[in-house]
Amino acid sequence: MNRFVEYFKLYVTEVKSVMRNEYRSIFSDPGVMLILIFALIIYSVIYSLVYRPEVLTDVNIAVVDESHTHSSLQLTRAFDWVPNTQVSARPLDMEEAKRMFESREIYGIVHIPSDFEDLILSGRQSAVSVYCDASYFLMYRQVFQDVVTTIMKAGAYVELQRLMQK
């Protein structure tokens, strides 16, 4: 056991010696120091300036409402209540919405199917489709997060109404 302790102490001494020599080599080399300092400046200051306004507001989206019911109208209005998205178009069909999306007039499409209210009133789940522009990550994140959050809140409200009626 005593021999093991001696070897361990020797090992720790050698590791400390190697670490001391490596740190001395790193911090005495001006090229390495320049890269370390330059990298810190780039990543902490300059890189963060690009993403400084991290929250986009009033991102234009379109809602294709094939249901034309009170519930779908309330959901469409809810997208406008969120400060980061704005329903700027209500195309009649998905083809028109795709054209607007491709021409960058809008950055997201919400498709409400024709059986939206019927499914909700019958107690079943209705699928609302969301299409986002993923070529610009901040835009994608903002549209997707706000639209999905709004849909989830609307679903929770419907569930609350259903439970209150029971």
mmCIF file of all heavy atoms in Angstrom, residues 116-159:
data_model
loop_
_atom_site.group_PDB
_atom_site.id
_atom_site.type_symbol
_atom_site.label_atom_id
_atom_site.label_comp_id
_atom_site.label_asym_id
_atom_site.label_seq_id
_atom_site.Cartn_x
_atom_site.Cartn_y
_atom_site.Cartn_z
ATOM 1 N N PHE A 116 -62.634 22.303 -38.814
ATOM 2 C CA PHE A 116 -62.024 22.760 -37.562
ATOM 3 C C PHE A 116 -63.052 22.830 -36.429
ATOM 4 O O PHE A 116 -62.911 22.199 -35.394
ATOM 5 C CB PHE A 116 -61.358 24.121 -37.784
ATOM 6 C CG PHE A 116 -60.760 24.742 -36.568
ATOM 7 C CD1 PHE A 116 -59.600 24.238 -36.011
ATOM 8 C CD2 PHE A 116 -61.345 25.850 -35.968
ATOM 9 C CE1 PHE A 116 -59.035 24.809 -34.887
ATOM 10 C CE2 PHE A 116 -60.789 26.432 -34.844
ATOM 11 C CZ PHE A 116 -59.632 25.903 -34.306
ATOM 12 N N GLU A 117 -64.114 23.607 -36.617
ATOM 13 C CA GLU A 117 -65.089 23.797 -35.539
ATOM 14 C C GLU A 117 -65.894 22.536 -35.279
ATOM 15 O O GLU A 117 -66.218 22.216 -34.128
ATOM 16 C CB GLU A 117 -66.015 24.972 -35.855
ATOM 17 C CG GLU A 117 -66.903 25.337 -34.675
ATOM 18 C CD GLU A 117 -67.635 26.644 -34.889
ATOM 19 O OE1 GLU A 117 -68.454 26.726 -35.816
ATOM 20 O OE2 GLU A 117 -67.359 27.573 -34.116
ATOM 21 N N ASP A 118 -66.215 21.774 -36.335
ATOM 22 C CA ASP A 118 -66.982 20.533 -36.148
ATOM 23 C C ASP A 118 -66.228 19.558 -35.245
ATOM 24 O O ASP A 118 -66.822 18.935 -34.357
ATOM 25 C CB ASP A 118 -67.269 19.870 -37.502
ATOM 26 C CG ASP A 118 -68.177 20.715 -38.373
ATOM 27 O OD1 ASP A 118 -68.950 21.528 -37.820
ATOM 28 O OD2 ASP A 118 -68.110 20.575 -39.612
ATOM 29 N N LEU A 119 -64.917 19.435 -35.476
ATOM 30 C CA LEU A 119 -64.124 18.532 -34.645
ATOM 31 C C LEU A 119 -64.037 19.026 -33.208
ATOM 32 O O LEU A 119 -64.124 18.238 -32.266
ATOM 33 C CB LEU A 119 -62.720 18.374 -35.239
ATOM 34 C CG LEU A 119 -62.642 17.586 -36.545
ATOM 35 C CD1 LEU A 119 -61.249 17.662 -37.128
ATOM 36 C CD2 LEU A 119 -63.052 16.140 -36.320
ATOM 37 N N ILE A 120 -63.870 20.322 -33.038
ATOM 38 C CA ILE A 120 -63.773 20.879 -31.684
ATOM 39 C C ILE A 120 -65.082 20.675 -30.927
ATOM 40 O O ILE A 120 -65.084 20.262 -29.764
ATOM 41 C CB ILE A 120 -63.406 22.377 -31.745
ATOM 42 C CG1 ILE A 120 -61.956 22.527 -32.171
ATOM 43 C CG2 ILE A 120 -63.618 23.046 -30.393
ATOM 44 C CD1 ILE A 120 -61.524 23.949 -32.368
ATOM 45 N N LEU A 121 -66.204 20.958 -31.589
ATOM 46 C CA LEU A 121 -67.507 20.822 -30.922
ATOM 47 C C LEU A 121 -67.833 19.374 -30.598
ATOM 48 O O LEU A 121 -68.564 19.102 -29.649
ATOM 49 C CB LEU A 121 -68.606 21.452 -31.782
ATOM 50 C CG LEU A 121 -68.533 22.979 -31.922
ATOM 51 C CD1 LEU A 121 -69.606 23.470 -32.879
ATOM 52 C CD2 LEU A 121 -68.635 23.653 -30.566
ATOM 53 N N SER A 122 -67.305 18.443 -31.388
ATOM 54 C CA SER A 122 -67.563 17.030 -31.110
ATOM 55 C C SER A 122 -66.577 16.460 -30.092
ATOM 56 O O SER A 122 -66.640 15.277 -29.774
ATOM 57 C CB SER A 122 -67.510 16.214 -32.405
ATOM 58 O OG SER A 122 -66.201 16.217 -32.926
ATOM 59 N N GLY A 123 -65.651 17.298 -29.597
ATOM 60 C CA GLY A 123 -64.724 16.853 -28.567
ATOM 61 C C GLY A 123 -63.477 16.178 -29.100
ATOM 62 O O GLY A 123 -62.714 15.599 -28.334
ATOM 63 N N ARG A 124 -63.280 16.246 -30.404
ATOM 64 C CA ARG A 124 -62.082 15.636 -30.985
ATOM 65 C C ARG A 124 -61.047 16.710 -31.285
ATOM 66 O O ARG A 124 -61.333 17.893 -31.264
ATOM 67 C CB ARG A 124 -62.453 14.871 -32.260
ATOM 68 C CG ARG A 124 -63.359 13.674 -31.965
ATOM 69 C CD ARG A 124 -63.677 12.909 -33.187
ATOM 70 N NE ARG A 124 -64.423 13.800 -34.109
ATOM 71 C CZ ARG A 124 -64.980 13.406 -35.221
ATOM 72 N NH1 ARG A 124 -64.893 12.164 -35.588
ATOM 73 N NH2 ARG A 124 -65.629 14.246 -35.985
ATOM 74 N N GLN A 125 -59.866 16.241 -31.584
ATOM 75 C CA GLN A 125 -58.755 17.150 -31.845
ATOM 76 C C GLN A 125 -58.735 17.537 -33.321
ATOM 77 O O GLN A 125 -58.900 16.697 -34.196
ATOM 78 C CB GLN A 125 -57.447 16.465 -31.468
ATOM 79 C CG GLN A 125 -56.262 17.374 -31.474
ATOM 80 C CD GLN A 125 -55.026 16.666 -30.933
ATOM 81 O OE1 GLN A 125 -55.046 15.485 -30.658
ATOM 82 N NE2 GLN A 125 -53.961 17.412 -30.792
ATOM 83 N N SER A 126 -58.524 18.814 -33.563
ATOM 84 C CA SER A 126 -58.424 19.310 -34.934
ATOM 85 C C SER A 126 -56.975 19.658 -35.231
ATOM 86 O O SER A 126 -56.280 20.221 -34.390
ATOM 87 C CB SER A 126 -59.306 20.551 -35.112
ATOM 88 O OG SER A 126 -59.176 21.037 -36.420
ATOM 89 N N ALA A 127 -56.527 19.335 -36.429
ATOM 90 C CA ALA A 127 -55.137 19.610 -36.809
ATOM 91 C C ALA A 127 -55.049 20.955 -37.524
ATOM 92 O O ALA A 127 -55.685 21.166 -38.548
ATOM 93 C CB ALA A 127 -54.625 18.503 -37.724
ATOM 94 N N VAL A 128 -54.270 21.849 -36.958
ATOM 95 C CA VAL A 128 -53.987 23.138 -37.581
ATOM 96 C C VAL A 128 -52.540 23.075 -38.050
ATOM 97 O O VAL A 128 -51.641 22.825 -37.252
ATOM 98 C CB VAL A 128 -54.192 24.303 -36.588
ATOM 99 C CG1 VAL A 128 -53.795 25.623 -37.212
ATOM 100 C CG2 VAL A 128 -55.635 24.351 -36.117
ATOM 101 N N SER A 129 -52.318 23.294 -39.339
ATOM 102 C CA SER A 129 -50.972 23.183 -39.902
ATOM 103 C C SER A 129 -50.258 24.525 -39.843
ATOM 104 O O SER A 129 -50.863 25.572 -40.067
ATOM 105 C CB SER A 129 -51.043 22.721 -41.358
ATOM 106 O OG SER A 129 -51.734 21.501 -41.453
ATOM 107 N N VAL A 130 -48.963 24.469 -39.562
ATOM 108 C CA VAL A 130 -48.133 25.667 -39.490
ATOM 109 C C VAL A 130 -46.941 25.470 -40.414
ATOM 110 O O VAL A 130 -46.250 24.456 -40.332
ATOM 111 C CB VAL A 130 -47.632 25.915 -38.051
ATOM 112 C CG1 VAL A 130 -46.765 27.158 -37.989
ATOM 113 C CG2 VAL A 130 -48.781 26.002 -37.079
ATOM 114 N N TYR A 131 -46.724 26.435 -41.291
ATOM 115 C CA TYR A 131 -45.586 26.417 -42.205
ATOM 116 C C TYR A 131 -44.759 27.672 -41.924
ATOM 117 O O TYR A 131 -45.300 28.768 -41.896
ATOM 118 C CB TYR A 131 -46.050 26.420 -43.662
ATOM 119 C CG TYR A 131 -46.979 25.272 -43.977
ATOM 120 C CD1 TYR A 131 -48.354 25.415 -43.875
ATOM 121 C CD2 TYR A 131 -46.474 24.036 -44.365
ATOM 122 C CE1 TYR A 131 -49.215 24.367 -44.157
ATOM 123 C CE2 TYR A 131 -47.315 22.982 -44.645
ATOM 124 C CZ TYR A 131 -48.683 23.149 -44.543
ATOM 125 O OH TYR A 131 -49.525 22.108 -44.817
ATOM 126 N N CYS A 132 -43.447 27.488 -41.709
ATOM 127 C CA CYS A 132 -42.573 28.613 -41.360
ATOM 128 C C CYS A 132 -41.361 28.647 -42.284
ATOM 129 O O CYS A 132 -40.927 27.617 -42.788
ATOM 130 C CB CYS A 132 -42.067 28.477 -39.927
ATOM 131 S SG CYS A 132 -43.344 28.385 -38.693
ATOM 132 N N ASP A 133 -40.805 29.837 -42.428
ATOM 133 C CA ASP A 133 -39.586 30.035 -43.206
ATOM 134 C C ASP A 133 -38.395 29.689 -42.319
ATOM 135 O O ASP A 133 -38.058 30.438 -41.405
ATOM 136 C CB ASP A 133 -39.509 31.487 -43.682
ATOM 137 C CG ASP A 133 -38.308 31.744 -44.559
ATOM 138 O OD1 ASP A 133 -37.560 30.792 -44.854
ATOM 139 O OD2 ASP A 133 -38.114 32.902 -44.964
ATOM 140 N N ALA A 134 -37.751 28.561 -42.594
ATOM 141 C CA ALA A 134 -36.629 28.117 -41.768
ATOM 142 C C ALA A 134 -35.282 28.596 -42.296
ATOM 143 O O ALA A 134 -34.246 28.248 -41.760
ATOM 144 C CB ALA A 134 -36.623 26.592 -41.671
ATOM 145 N N SER A 135 -35.276 29.418 -43.342
ATOM 146 C CA SER A 135 -34.000 29.909 -43.870
ATOM 147 C C SER A 135 -33.425 31.015 -42.992
ATOM 148 O O SER A 135 -32.240 31.298 -43.047
ATOM 149 C CB SER A 135 -34.180 30.415 -45.298
ATOM 150 O OG SER A 135 -35.052 31.522 -45.336
ATOM 151 N N TYR A 136 -34.242 31.640 -42.183
ATOM 152 C CA TYR A 136 -33.790 32.672 -41.260
ATOM 153 C C TYR A 136 -34.212 32.208 -39.871
ATOM 154 O O TYR A 136 -35.387 32.270 -39.516
ATOM 155 C CB TYR A 136 -34.420 34.007 -41.639
ATOM 156 C CG TYR A 136 -34.017 35.188 -40.798
ATOM 157 C CD1 TYR A 136 -32.750 35.296 -40.252
ATOM 158 C CD2 TYR A 136 -34.906 36.223 -40.563
ATOM 159 C CE1 TYR A 136 -32.394 36.385 -39.487
ATOM 160 C CE2 TYR A 136 -34.556 37.327 -39.805
ATOM 161 C CZ TYR A 136 -33.296 37.391 -39.265
ATOM 162 O OH TYR A 136 -32.945 38.472 -38.500
ATOM 163 N N PHE A 137 -33.256 31.735 -39.082
ATOM 164 C CA PHE A 137 -33.576 31.043 -37.842
ATOM 165 C C PHE A 137 -34.385 31.893 -36.869
ATOM 166 O O PHE A 137 -35.337 31.399 -36.257
ATOM 167 C CB PHE A 137 -32.302 30.538 -37.164
ATOM 168 C CG PHE A 137 -32.585 29.801 -35.890
ATOM 169 C CD1 PHE A 137 -33.167 28.553 -35.925
ATOM 170 C CD2 PHE A 137 -32.307 30.368 -34.665
ATOM 171 C CE1 PHE A 137 -33.459 27.872 -34.757
ATOM 172 C CE2 PHE A 137 -32.588 29.700 -33.494
ATOM 173 C CZ PHE A 137 -33.151 28.449 -33.537
ATOM 174 N N LEU A 138 -34.035 33.151 -36.697
ATOM 175 C CA LEU A 138 -34.771 33.988 -35.746
ATOM 176 C C LEU A 138 -36.228 34.157 -36.178
ATOM 177 O O LEU A 138 -37.137 34.140 -35.351
ATOM 178 C CB LEU A 138 -34.108 35.351 -35.607
ATOM 179 C CG LEU A 138 -32.756 35.358 -34.897
ATOM 180 C CD1 LEU A 138 -32.171 36.759 -34.903
ATOM 181 C CD2 LEU A 138 -32.873 34.843 -33.490
ATOM 182 N N MET A 139 -36.434 34.310 -37.496
ATOM 183 C CA MET A 139 -37.796 34.449 -38.011
ATOM 184 C C MET A 139 -38.577 33.153 -37.781
ATOM 185 O O MET A 139 -39.721 33.168 -37.334
ATOM 186 C CB MET A 139 -37.732 34.782 -39.502
ATOM 187 C CG MET A 139 -39.012 35.251 -40.089
ATOM 188 S SD MET A 139 -39.363 36.963 -39.712
ATOM 189 C CE MET A 139 -38.119 37.804 -40.653
ATOM 190 N N TYR A 140 -37.945 32.043 -38.087
ATOM 191 C CA TYR A 140 -38.578 30.733 -37.912
ATOM 192 C C TYR A 140 -38.967 30.516 -36.449
ATOM 193 O O TYR A 140 -40.093 30.130 -36.146
ATOM 194 C CB TYR A 140 -37.624 29.630 -38.374
ATOM 195 C CG TYR A 140 -38.040 28.246 -37.957
ATOM 196 C CD1 TYR A 140 -39.062 27.586 -38.621
ATOM 197 C CD2 TYR A 140 -37.431 27.605 -36.891
ATOM 198 C CE1 TYR A 140 -39.451 26.312 -38.239
ATOM 199 C CE2 TYR A 140 -37.812 26.341 -36.499
ATOM 200 C CZ TYR A 140 -38.821 25.703 -37.171
ATOM 201 O OH TYR A 140 -39.216 24.454 -36.794
ATOM 202 N N ARG A 141 -38.012 30.762 -35.561
ATOM 203 C CA ARG A 141 -38.269 30.550 -34.135
ATOM 204 C C ARG A 141 -39.420 31.411 -33.651
ATOM 205 O O ARG A 141 -40.298 30.956 -32.916
ATOM 206 C CB ARG A 141 -37.011 30.853 -33.332
ATOM 207 C CG ARG A 141 -37.185 30.548 -31.854
ATOM 208 C CD ARG A 141 -36.078 31.108 -31.043
ATOM 209 N NE ARG A 141 -36.229 32.568 -31.054
ATOM 210 C CZ ARG A 141 -35.445 33.395 -30.409
ATOM 211 N NH1 ARG A 141 -34.425 32.935 -29.744
ATOM 212 N NH2 ARG A 141 -35.645 34.687 -30.446
ATOM 213 N N GLN A 142 -39.437 32.681 -34.065
ATOM 214 C CA GLN A 142 -40.459 33.610 -33.597
ATOM 215 C C GLN A 142 -41.843 33.188 -34.082
ATOM 216 O O GLN A 142 -42.789 33.129 -33.304
ATOM 217 C CB GLN A 142 -40.139 35.026 -34.100
ATOM 218 C CG GLN A 142 -40.765 36.084 -33.278
ATOM 219 C CD GLN A 142 -40.181 36.109 -31.882
ATOM 220 O OE1 GLN A 142 -38.976 36.122 -31.698
ATOM 221 N NE2 GLN A 142 -41.019 36.114 -30.895
ATOM 222 N N VAL A 143 -41.957 32.905 -35.377
ATOM 223 C CA VAL A 143 -43.253 32.517 -35.936
ATOM 224 C C VAL A 143 -43.724 31.204 -35.318
ATOM 225 O O VAL A 143 -44.861 31.103 -34.832
ATOM 226 C CB VAL A 143 -43.179 32.402 -37.471
ATOM 227 C CG1 VAL A 143 -44.436 31.769 -38.032
ATOM 228 C CG2 VAL A 143 -42.951 33.774 -38.097
ATOM 229 N N PHE A 144 -42.856 30.204 -35.319
ATOM 230 C CA PHE A 144 -43.263 28.893 -34.822
ATOM 231 C C PHE A 144 -43.649 28.950 -33.348
ATOM 232 O O PHE A 144 -44.693 28.427 -32.950
ATOM 233 C CB PHE A 144 -42.137 27.879 -35.037
ATOM 234 C CG PHE A 144 -42.528 26.473 -34.684
ATOM 235 C CD1 PHE A 144 -43.325 25.745 -35.535
ATOM 236 C CD2 PHE A 144 -42.110 25.903 -33.497
ATOM 237 C CE1 PHE A 144 -43.703 24.452 -35.213
ATOM 238 C CE2 PHE A 144 -42.475 24.624 -33.169
ATOM 239 C CZ PHE A 144 -43.276 23.894 -34.033
ATOM 240 N N GLN A 145 -42.826 29.594 -32.555
ATOM 241 C CA GLN A 145 -43.087 29.668 -31.114
ATOM 242 C C GLN A 145 -44.403 30.395 -30.826
ATOM 243 O O GLN A 145 -45.215 29.917 -30.030
ATOM 244 C CB GLN A 145 -41.923 30.384 -30.443
ATOM 245 C CG GLN A 145 -42.010 30.432 -28.948
ATOM 246 C CD GLN A 145 -40.778 31.106 -28.341
ATOM 247 O OE1 GLN A 145 -39.952 31.680 -29.039
ATOM 248 N NE2 GLN A 145 -40.666 31.025 -27.043
ATOM 249 N N ASP A 146 -44.624 31.531 -31.460
ATOM 250 C CA ASP A 146 -45.835 32.299 -31.177
ATOM 251 C C ASP A 146 -47.095 31.612 -31.691
ATOM 252 O O ASP A 146 -48.120 31.594 -31.007
ATOM 253 C CB ASP A 146 -45.730 33.701 -31.776
ATOM 254 C CG ASP A 146 -44.788 34.585 -30.974
ATOM 255 O OD1 ASP A 146 -44.349 34.150 -29.897
ATOM 256 O OD2 ASP A 146 -44.505 35.697 -31.427
ATOM 257 N N VAL A 147 -47.022 31.049 -32.878
ATOM 258 C CA VAL A 147 -48.199 30.387 -33.443
ATOM 259 C C VAL A 147 -48.550 29.140 -32.634
ATOM 260 O O VAL A 147 -49.716 28.932 -32.278
ATOM 261 C CB VAL A 147 -47.973 30.059 -34.936
ATOM 262 C CG1 VAL A 147 -49.038 29.123 -35.461
ATOM 263 C CG2 VAL A 147 -47.936 31.339 -35.758
ATOM 264 N N VAL A 148 -47.558 28.332 -32.320
ATOM 265 C CA VAL A 148 -47.833 27.105 -31.559
ATOM 266 C C VAL A 148 -48.333 27.447 -30.152
ATOM 267 O O VAL A 148 -49.269 26.817 -29.654
ATOM 268 C CB VAL A 148 -46.583 26.198 -31.516
ATOM 269 C CG1 VAL A 148 -46.747 25.073 -30.523
ATOM 270 C CG2 VAL A 148 -46.310 25.640 -32.900
ATOM 271 N N THR A 149 -47.749 28.458 -29.528
ATOM 272 C CA THR A 149 -48.207 28.872 -28.199
ATOM 273 C C THR A 149 -49.653 29.352 -28.243
ATOM 274 O O THR A 149 -50.461 29.005 -27.373
ATOM 275 C CB THR A 149 -47.301 29.992 -27.646
ATOM 276 O OG1 THR A 149 -45.969 29.508 -27.587
ATOM 277 C CG2 THR A 149 -47.738 30.429 -26.269
ATOM 278 N N THR A 150 -49.989 30.110 -29.271
ATOM 279 C CA THR A 150 -51.366 30.599 -29.411
ATOM 280 C C THR A 150 -52.338 29.441 -29.616
ATOM 281 O O THR A 150 -53.420 29.408 -29.017
ATOM 282 C CB THR A 150 -51.454 31.588 -30.589
ATOM 283 O OG1 THR A 150 -50.533 32.651 -30.365
ATOM 284 C CG2 THR A 150 -52.847 32.135 -30.738
ATOM 285 N N ILE A 151 -51.949 28.477 -30.446
ATOM 286 C CA ILE A 151 -52.814 27.310 -30.693
ATOM 287 C C ILE A 151 -52.986 26.504 -29.408
ATOM 288 O O ILE A 151 -54.086 26.051 -29.085
ATOM 289 C CB ILE A 151 -52.240 26.451 -31.839
ATOM 290 C CG1 ILE A 151 -52.352 27.211 -33.164
ATOM 291 C CG2 ILE A 151 -52.964 25.117 -31.930
ATOM 292 C CD1 ILE A 151 -51.618 26.554 -34.306
ATOM 293 N N MET A 152 -51.897 26.343 -28.652
ATOM 294 C CA MET A 152 -51.979 25.583 -27.393
ATOM 295 C C MET A 152 -52.891 26.292 -26.386
ATOM 296 O O MET A 152 -53.675 25.648 -25.693
ATOM 297 C CB MET A 152 -50.581 25.400 -26.804
ATOM 298 C CG MET A 152 -49.634 24.639 -27.693
ATOM 299 S SD MET A 152 -49.758 22.885 -27.539
ATOM 300 C CE MET A 152 -48.908 22.624 -26.026
ATOM 301 N N LYS A 153 -52.776 27.613 -26.313
ATOM 302 C CA LYS A 153 -53.642 28.366 -25.397
ATOM 303 C C LYS A 153 -55.100 28.257 -25.820
ATOM 304 O O LYS A 153 -55.987 28.127 -24.969
ATOM 305 C CB LYS A 153 -53.217 29.830 -25.351
ATOM 306 C CG LYS A 153 -51.959 30.073 -24.565
ATOM 307 C CD LYS A 153 -51.589 31.540 -24.550
ATOM 308 C CE LYS A 153 -50.305 31.788 -23.806
ATOM 309 N NZ LYS A 153 -49.905 33.207 -23.840
ATOM 310 N N ALA A 154 -55.348 28.322 -27.114
ATOM 311 C CA ALA A 154 -56.721 28.186 -27.604
ATOM 312 C C ALA A 154 -57.256 26.795 -27.271
ATOM 313 O O ALA A 154 -58.423 26.644 -26.872
ATOM 314 C CB ALA A 154 -56.774 28.442 -29.103
ATOM 315 N N GLY A 155 -56.421 25.780 -27.421
ATOM 316 C CA GLY A 155 -56.832 24.412 -27.073
ATOM 317 C C GLY A 155 -57.130 24.271 -25.596
ATOM 318 O O GLY A 155 -58.093 23.609 -25.201
ATOM 319 N N ALA A 156 -56.313 24.904 -24.769
ATOM 320 C CA ALA A 156 -56.548 24.857 -23.321
ATOM 321 C C ALA A 156 -57.852 25.569 -22.962
ATOM 322 O O ALA A 156 -58.600 25.117 -22.097
ATOM 323 C CB ALA A 156 -55.370 25.482 -22.580
ATOM 324 N N TYR A 157 -58.135 26.674 -23.651
ATOM 325 C CA TYR A 157 -59.379 27.410 -23.408
ATOM 326 C C TYR A 157 -60.588 26.566 -23.796
ATOM 327 O O TYR A 157 -61.586 26.519 -23.064
ATOM 328 C CB TYR A 157 -59.366 28.725 -24.198
ATOM 329 C CG TYR A 157 -60.621 29.542 -24.014
ATOM 330 C CD1 TYR A 157 -60.857 30.226 -22.827
ATOM 331 C CD2 TYR A 157 -61.572 29.612 -25.024
ATOM 332 C CE1 TYR A 157 -62.006 30.966 -22.660
ATOM 333 C CE2 TYR A 157 -62.731 30.346 -24.859
ATOM 334 C CZ TYR A 157 -62.947 31.023 -23.679
ATOM 335 O OH TYR A 157 -64.094 31.743 -23.503
ATOM 336 N N VAL A 158 -60.506 25.878 -24.919
ATOM 337 C CA VAL A 158 -61.607 25.008 -25.356
ATOM 338 C C VAL A 158 -61.816 23.887 -24.346
ATOM 339 O O VAL A 158 -62.955 23.560 -23.989
ATOM 340 C CB VAL A 158 -61.322 24.440 -26.770
ATOM 341 C CG1 VAL A 158 -62.271 23.323 -27.113
ATOM 342 C CG2 VAL A 158 -61.402 25.545 -27.804
ATOM 343 N N GLU A 159 -60.721 23.306 -23.870
ATOM 344 C CA GLU A 159 -60.827 22.231 -22.888
ATOM 345 C C GLU A 159 -61.440 22.731 -21.587
ATOM 346 O O GLU A 159 -62.263 22.056 -20.970
ATOM 347 C CB GLU A 159 -59.443 21.626 -22.632
ATOM 348 C CG GLU A 159 -59.463 20.387 -21.776
ATOM 349 C CD GLU A 159 -60.193 19.231 -22.422
ATOM 350 O OE1 GLU A 159 -60.231 19.149 -23.660
ATOM 351 O OE2 GLU A 159 -60.747 18.405 -21.669
#
